[in-house]
Amino acid sequence: MSFRPQLHLAVDAMGGDYGPRSTVPASIQFLQQNPQAHITLYLHQSLTGDVDASHPSLTIKPCSSFVSMSDSPSRALRYLKDSTLAMALQSVSSGEAHACVSAGNTGAMVAIARHFWGTFTGLKRPAICKPIPTVEGGHSYMLDLGANVTATPDLLHAFALLGAAVSHCCDQVVSPRVALLNIGDEVIKGHEDVKAAAGLLESDGRLNYIGFVEGDAIYSGMADVIVCDGFAGNIALKVSEGVARMAVRQVNDTFRTSLYGQLLGQFARPVLKKWQRRFDPARYNGASFLGLNHVLVKSHGGADARGFGYALSYAQTMVQQELVPQLRQSMEGCFVS
Amino acid sequence: MSFRPQLHLAVDAMGGDYGPRSTVPASIQFLQQNPQAHITLYLHQSLTGDVDASHPSLTIKPCSSFVSMSDSPSRALRYLKDSTLAMALQSVSSGEAHACVSAGNTGAMVAIARHFWGTFTGLKRPAICKPIPTVEGGHSYMLDLGANVTATPDLLHAFALLGAAVSHCCDQVVSPRVALLNIGDEVIKGHEDVKAAAGLLESDGRLNYIGFVEGDAIYSGMADVIVCDGFAGNIALKVSEGVARMAVRQVNDTFRTSLYGQLLGQFARPVLKKWQRRFDPARYNGASFLGLNHVLVKSHGGADARGFGYALSYAQTMVQQELVPQLRQSMEGCFVS
């Protein structure tokens, strides 16, 4: 009888801007902190000699190809079945690993994961979702963050149900407040898809739909779930990172530009560091694909080893909380039209 | 012969969340700071008795209706020709005022301004544009920020030409770097409209097109002009405000949560205030409609008197720089298909 670890993660080592330079050290550090875990790293065969990945709980699986950021989903699906991403995903559907983590090509992840794993019954496409910190110290769930460039009203409706189920399962919110992201809170605002989705959400008795919210409301905590298409959601997320980086840089600059500020900066540094840790976008790295039959965590493409480490921890939490089986159960019959 | 002031602004006093409570004090303060200016306030007739607006350079024009935030553009255009917004806009096309400022309904502003003022020859619709501060201390021009919920590839192409002309006219940039906002920088990313627009920009020899940029690049300064549809642009702008507010609040909170921080906070306050002033979204209030034949400045709907004051100053700058005639001249023949 083979030993099965409490947590086995399949990591696509080739994804993201840094590839193995970020995924390998992050995996080793994760294993050092989690002795019960095992990681299988799916690495391109040309790199197996270059990577120093010696840890008793780490397995390297050389693969003959990898998905690049410019590969289309259809090409990835058709021609790259032996890629690091596809092999990592397949190891989850075969029962070998509990979850897959990748910082790679989002479109390819959706296509291959749907193909190997399938989505919840009746759900056409999964959504990328993550908890967004709010000003009061809580969080809202936002979806879709980039799995679907466009979304029909029906798909937005499905995402609203998924988001509400996540808020209920993870935070025990009894009647999660669900909002649609729009460019105004009046009913006449927005494009046809978002207006039609509003009608569907409004008339669905299972949802506590509170209406449209604008971009600045994402961080206000006025909704538990914020629904949008993946184009708007991805832009909202990336813009947030840009502003956060600018805020951190400007605070530091301001303390540097006067002698008084410099002097004060010496003393203020621990307080500012504390804020930066709290505000740091890397801390919130890791978004999950909701609606798939297994756990798939997408790391930010620009994540360094520390950031990728957060994505691994996020996958661990999702597996331990048994979110996918819980969600699938609560969504049973929801999407059958 | 009647005296014509150097600057005459027509202000829709009813727009925005605060209406006259913000527009009236902002106008009076602006006139105190700019003795050569004149403002005509277009106010609903029911409020003329309630508003204390005594200043020798301020004229009140009572109007019999106003455009609410829930009025559709077509209703505003058809039935609200005597509204504060329509009357203010008309006073510019009649030559009485130099520019119009409103914090009101964006869709109605577009519809009525197009009707009364017209757009540059061959340009189908105007775009909302504003300079976005970058991390290095410069700025990029971003458009459209909400005048067009969707945009065809041709319209995005027109906005790219407009944005490049603004960068050239205002900042003397010889060959402005133009980018399209997207959810990835690879050519396969995004929806069909943004991909088709990329083809048009790429093949237009007048443009220095640098490709797709993601949301976090808006603040990086890597492009002089960032082009998107009004839905994505508006969400990017509002999300930025939300994150900025959260940053300011969290910095203050962090200094408050420990005794050391509290003590330090007393000394750090002037430095933090300096940063907050620099980072404050209200400072950047005021966006212009580009492609219209006169100056129309849109204030943020949530702007208080101080914020609305920035929008008035922005209109003043646009009039003094003669941006509209310069732009119209440089765009001559550009949009004739």
Side-chain angles (χ1 to χ4, degrees):
Chain A
M1 197 187 87
S2 71
F3 164 75
R4 192 173 197 239
Q6 287 182 349
L7 178 77
H8 185 168
L9 299 179
V11 172
D12 166 20
M14 302 302 291
D17 300 347
Y18 303 106
R21 276 177 295 157
S22 130
T23 55
V24 174
S27 297
I28 291 172
Q29 200 183 1
F30 181 84
L31 291 171
Q32 283 163 351
Q33 289 161 355
N34 297 279
Q36 305 300 314
H38 190 99
I39 287 181
T40 302
L41 270 175
Y42 292 82
L43 190 71
H44 190 246
Q45 57 195 19
S46 67
L47 294 174
T48 47
D50 302 336
V51 165
D52 177 20
S54 50
H55 189 283
S57 301
L58 191 69
T59 308
I60 302 276
K61 284 271 172 78
C63 304
S64 56
S65 73
F66 63 94
V67 178
S68 79
M69 292 304 276
S70 56
D71 284 320
S72 70
S74 58
R75 177 179 140 75
L77 187 59
R78 233 174 279 171
Y79 303 111
L80 300 170
K81 288 206 172 124
D82 52 359
S83 64
T84 55
L85 173 62
M87 299 295 278
L89 287 167
Q90 207 163 14
S91 79
V92 178
S93 40
S94 72
E96 193 186 334
H98 296 100
C100 175
V101 182
S102 174
N105 181 323
T106 309
M109 286 168 82
V110 177
I112 304 175
R114 278 175 73 199
H115 176 76
F116 285 145
W117 297 1
T119 48
F120 293 173
T121 311
L123 177 66
K124 292 212 173 65
R125 296 187 48 97
I128 299 178
C129 177
K130 68 186 283 187
I132 304 284
T134 59
V135 76
E136 300 291 352
H139 58 258
S140 307
Y141 293 94
M142 191 164 166
L143 71 170
D144 172 29
L145 298 173
N148 307 277
V149 174
T150 57
T152 60
D154 281 336
L155 198 58
L156 291 170
H157 182 197
F159 293 167
L161 291 165
L162 266 178
V166 169
S167 174
H168 183 73
C169 288
C170 294
D171 304 334
Q172 290 75 50
V173 178
V174 178
S175 180
R177 297 158 301 164
V178 177
L180 278 166
L181 185 64
N182 200 348
I183 61 168
D185 49 18
E186 302 82 15
V187 291
I188 58 151
K189 290 291 171 74
H191 50 63
E192 294 313 313
D193 282 344
V194 79
K195 284 193 252 189
L200 296 175
L201 269 61
E202 184 82 69
S203 61
D204 186 333
R206 297 166 294 184
L207 288 171
N208 175 14
Y209 174 61
I210 62 164
F212 293 141
V213 292
E214 295 187 76
D216 53 344
I218 294 173
Y219 295 92
S220 72
M222 66 187 284
D224 299 300
V225 179
I226 293 166
V227 178
C228 54
D229 65 48
F231 195 86
N234 190 273
I235 282 170
L237 194 69
K238 298 276 174 69
V239 163
S240 302
E241 290 164 14
V243 178
R245 268 202 295 274
M246 189 161 75
V248 169
R249 172 132 167 210
Q250 284 193 355
V251 167
N252 291 329
D253 281 358
T254 310
F255 274 97
R256 234 179 267 129
T257 47
S258 73
L259 197 63
Y260 177 70
Q262 277 176 33
L263 194 70
L264 198 67
Q266 301 294 325
F267 299 99
R269 196 155 297 149
V271 182
L272 289 174
K273 280 263 173 250
K274 195 173 151 193
W275 167 67
Q276 286 178 25
R277 272 197 301 276
R278 193 177 152 199
F279 199 65
D280 182 6
R283 264 198 59 202
Y284 304 99
N285 188 34
S288 50
F289 283 81
L290 292 186
L292 290 170
N293 284 319
H294 298 284
V295 175
L296 172 56
V297 168
K298 154 110 186 98
S299 160
H300 192 300
D304 58 9
R306 189 173 60 95
F308 197 79
Y310 285 112
L312 295 172
S313 300
Y314 193 61
Q316 178 181 35
T317 307
M318 282 194 67
V319 172
Q320 287 171 347
Q321 289 185 343
E322 301 186 326
L323 186 66
V324 168
Q326 273 194 67
L327 264 186
R328 191 171 38 218
Q329 198 182 355
S330 75
M331 297 273 91
E332 203 64 62
C334 254
F335 304 125
V336 180
S337 50
Chain B
M1 196 185 87
S2 70
F3 165 76
R4 194 172 196 240
Q6 287 183 349
L7 178 77
H8 185 168
L9 299 178
V11 172
D12 166 20
M14 303 302 292
D17 300 347
Y18 302 107
R21 276 177 295 156
S22 129
T23 54
V24 174
S27 297
I28 291 172
Q29 200 182 3
F30 180 84
L31 291 171
Q32 283 162 352
Q33 289 162 355
N34 298 278
Q36 305 299 314
H38 190 99
I39 287 180
T40 301
L41 270 174
Y42 291 83
L43 191 70
H44 189 248
Q45 57 195 21
S46 66
L47 294 174
T48 48
D50 302 336
V51 165
D52 179 21
S54 50
H55 189 284
S57 302
L58 191 69
T59 308
I60 302 276
K61 283 271 172 82
C63 303
S64 55
S65 72
F66 64 94
V67 179
S68 79
M69 292 305 276
S70 56
D71 284 319
S72 70
S74 58
R75 178 181 139 75
L77 187 59
R78 233 174 279 170
Y79 303 112
L80 300 170
K81 288 207 173 123
D82 51 0
S83 64
T84 54
L85 174 61
M87 298 295 278
L89 287 167
Q90 208 164 13
S91 78
V92 178
S93 40
S94 72
E96 192 185 333
H98 296 100
C100 175
V101 182
S102 174
N105 181 322
T106 309
M109 286 168 82
V110 177
I112 304 175
R114 278 176 74 200
H115 177 74
F116 285 144
W117 297 0
T119 48
F120 293 173
T121 311
L123 177 66
K124 292 212 174 65
R125 296 190 45 101
I128 299 178
C129 177
K130 68 186 283 187
I132 305 283
T134 59
V135 75
E136 300 292 351
H139 57 257
S140 307
Y141 293 94
M142 189 164 169
L143 71 171
D144 173 29
L145 297 173
N148 308 276
V149 174
T150 57
T152 61
D154 281 334
L155 198 58
L156 291 170
H157 182 197
F159 293 167
L161 291 165
L162 265 178
V166 169
S167 174
H168 184 71
C169 289
C170 295
D171 304 336
Q172 289 75 50
V173 178
V174 178
S175 181
R177 296 157 301 165
V178 177
L180 278 166
L181 184 64
N182 200 348
I183 62 170
D185 48 17
E186 302 82 16
V187 290
I188 59 150
K189 289 292 171 73
H191 50 63
E192 294 313 314
D193 282 343
V194 79
K195 283 193 252 188
L200 297 176
L201 269 60
E202 185 81 70
S203 61
D204 186 333
R206 296 166 294 183
L207 289 170
N208 176 14
Y209 174 61
I210 61 165
F212 293 142
V213 293
E214 294 188 76
D216 53 344
I218 293 174
Y219 296 92
S220 72
M222 64 187 287
D224 300 299
V225 179
I226 294 165
V227 178
C228 54
D229 66 47
F231 195 86
N234 190 273
I235 281 169
L237 193 70
K238 298 275 174 68
V239 163
S240 302
E241 290 165 13
V243 178
R245 269 202 294 275
M246 189 161 74
V248 169
R249 171 132 169 212
Q250 283 192 356
V251 167
N252 290 329
D253 282 358
T254 311
F255 274 98
R256 233 179 269 130
T257 48
S258 74
L259 197 63
Y260 177 69
Q262 278 176 31
L263 194 69
L264 198 67
Q266 301 294 326
F267 299 99
R269 197 155 297 150
V271 181
L272 289 174
K273 281 264 173 248
K274 195 174 152 194
W275 167 66
Q276 285 178 25
R277 271 197 302 275
R278 194 176 153 200
F279 199 64
D280 181 7
R283 265 198 59 203
Y284 304 98
N285 187 34
S288 50
F289 283 82
L290 293 185
L292 290 171
N293 284 319
H294 299 284
V295 174
L296 173 56
V297 168
K298 154 112 186 100
S299 160
H300 193 299
D304 57 10
R306 191 173 60 95
F308 198 80
Y310 285 113
L312 295 174
S313 300
Y314 193 61
Q316 179 181 35
T317 308
M318 283 194 67
V319 171
Q320 286 170 346
Q321 289 186 343
E322 299 187 328
L323 187 65
V324 168
Q326 273 194 68
L327 265 185
R328 191 170 39 217
Q329 198 183 355
S330 76
M331 298 272 92
E332 203 63 63
C334 254
F335 304 125
V336 181
S337 51

